[in-house]
């Protein structure tokens, strides 16, 4: 991997398994899309993105082709890739489906999840807080994805994790930058630690309240342009 320029986001590693270089580049690009750092309708060339992420153009081009298969970008011949727009209706639908799946699943974990497995998610929760404090939106989204999908994985349903992962990838959190400027992202980040504590206390009512509040931010505030 080429040396990253100053200020370039580090490439993330999702989950416990080692991911390929191409997958790691795709993860970083996907996080940038979700965070709204790559804007809908804009066309980005592979060399431009490669310079931004401190990597060579070839893995970026390959990763963007993967994202095109997911419907996150469209290829523009001889120019690069255009970020697909997400409508307000689509954001509403994605968040509604996530709430239907995630809230009851996580509430159930309050009675079934192994405390050791829950504690294993605390480093990711702390990374979310650290990224929020630093205003690093790409790191924030990557750690947030790792935390939530890791938590859902404790339910033992891989298809559920796959569905939520796809919905998260299609969402956009355009309001993250505004939250950073207003100094409000840190409070939202700390909800992950609050959620873990409620799960470890086996407090289903508290878990439901935190999850409902947390997902409400996704649509009610973070997705606002």
């Amino acid at each position: 991997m080429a040396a990253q320029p100053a200020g370039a986001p580090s490439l993330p590693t999702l989950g416990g398994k080692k991911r390929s270089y191409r997958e790691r580049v795709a993860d970083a690009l996907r996080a940038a899309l979700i965070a709204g750092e790559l804007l809908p309708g804009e066309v980005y060339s592979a060399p431009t993105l490669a310079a931004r992420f401190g990597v060579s153009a070839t893995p970026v081009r390959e990763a963007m082709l993967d994202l095109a298969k997911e419907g996150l970008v469209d290829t523009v011949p001889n120019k690069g890739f255009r970020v697909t727009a997400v409508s307000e209706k689509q954001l509403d639908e994605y968040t509604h489906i996530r709430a239907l799946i995630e809230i009851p699943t996580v509430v159930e974990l309050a009675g079934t999840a192994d405390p050791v497995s829950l504690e294993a998610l605390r480093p990711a929760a702390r990374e979310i807080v650290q990224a929020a404090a630093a205003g690093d939106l790409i790191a924030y989204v990557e750690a947030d994805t790792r935390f939530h999908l890791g938590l859902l994985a404790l339910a033992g349903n891989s298809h559920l994790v796959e569905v939520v992962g796809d919905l998260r990838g299609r969402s956009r959190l355009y309001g993250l930058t505004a939250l950073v400027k207003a100094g409000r992202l840190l409070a939202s980040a700390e909800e992950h630690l609050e959620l873990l504590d409620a799960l470890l206390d086996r407090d289903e009512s508290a878990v439901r309240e935190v999850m409902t509040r947390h997902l409400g931010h996704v649509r009610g505030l973070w997705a606002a342009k």
Side-chain angles (χ1 to χ4, degrees):
M1 179 171 60
Q4 292 182 202
S10 59
L11 296 181
T13 300
L14 294 180
K17 67 177 182 178
K18 184 175 181 180
R19 297 172 68 77
S20 71
Y21 187 74
R22 175 172 173 167
E23 288 174 322
R24 290 172 60 210
V25 172
D27 288 340
L29 291 169
R30 188 180 293 104
L33 281 168
I34 295 170
E37 294 202 357
L38 298 182
L39 301 175
E42 292 291 322
V43 176
Y44 297 90
S45 70
T48 297
L49 291 172
R52 176 172 177 172
F53 284 84
V55 297
S56 60
T58 297
V60 168
R61 189 174 292 107
E62 293 172 343
M64 292 298 275
L65 288 173
D66 290 339
L67 296 185
K69 293 177 183 177
E70 298 175 24
L72 303 182
V73 298
D74 295 318
T75 57
V76 181
N78 302 317
K79 291 186 178 180
F81 302 88
R82 179 182 291 110
V83 177
T84 57
V86 181
S87 70
E88 297 291 311
K89 184 175 185 295
Q90 286 173 312
L91 287 171
D92 283 335
E93 291 172 348
Y94 297 158
T95 307
H96 180 60
I97 296 170
R98 284 186 58 189
L100 291 174
I101 295 173
E102 293 185 63
I103 293 175
T105 300
V106 176
V107 169
E108 186 175 347
L109 288 175
T112 62
D114 173 32
V116 174
S117 298
L118 289 171
E119 279 294 349
L121 293 169
R122 196 171 293 277
R126 287 175 177 152
E127 286 180 40
I128 297 169
V129 174
Q130 291 167 359
D136 187 339
L137 301 187
I138 293 179
Y140 183 97
V141 169
E142 188 275 326
D144 183 71
T145 298
R146 182 152 36 89
F147 175 88
H148 283 285
L149 296 188
L151 181 60
L152 292 173
L154 299 182
N157 188 329
S158 60
H159 296 291
L160 182 151
V161 176
E162 183 178 348
V163 168
V164 173
D166 179 70
L167 290 170
R168 290 178 64 91
R170 294 178 183 280
S171 298
R172 296 292 182 271
L173 305 178
Y174 298 123
L176 281 177
T177 300
L179 278 182
V180 171
K181 292 179 179 178
R184 297 169 63 187
L185 184 59
L186 187 58
S188 297
E190 289 172 343
E191 288 178 343
H192 298 84
L193 293 168
E194 183 183 356
L195 177 60
L196 271 184
D197 290 340
L199 285 164
L200 288 164
D201 288 341
R202 304 301 190 190
D203 189 337
E204 293 187 2
S205 178
V207 170
R208 184 180 301 278
E209 190 280 324
V210 177
M211 278 298 297
T212 301
R213 175 173 16 113
H214 191 63
L215 284 178
H217 291 162
V218 173
R219 184 65 190 102
L221 183 58
W222 293 357
K225 294 183 182 180

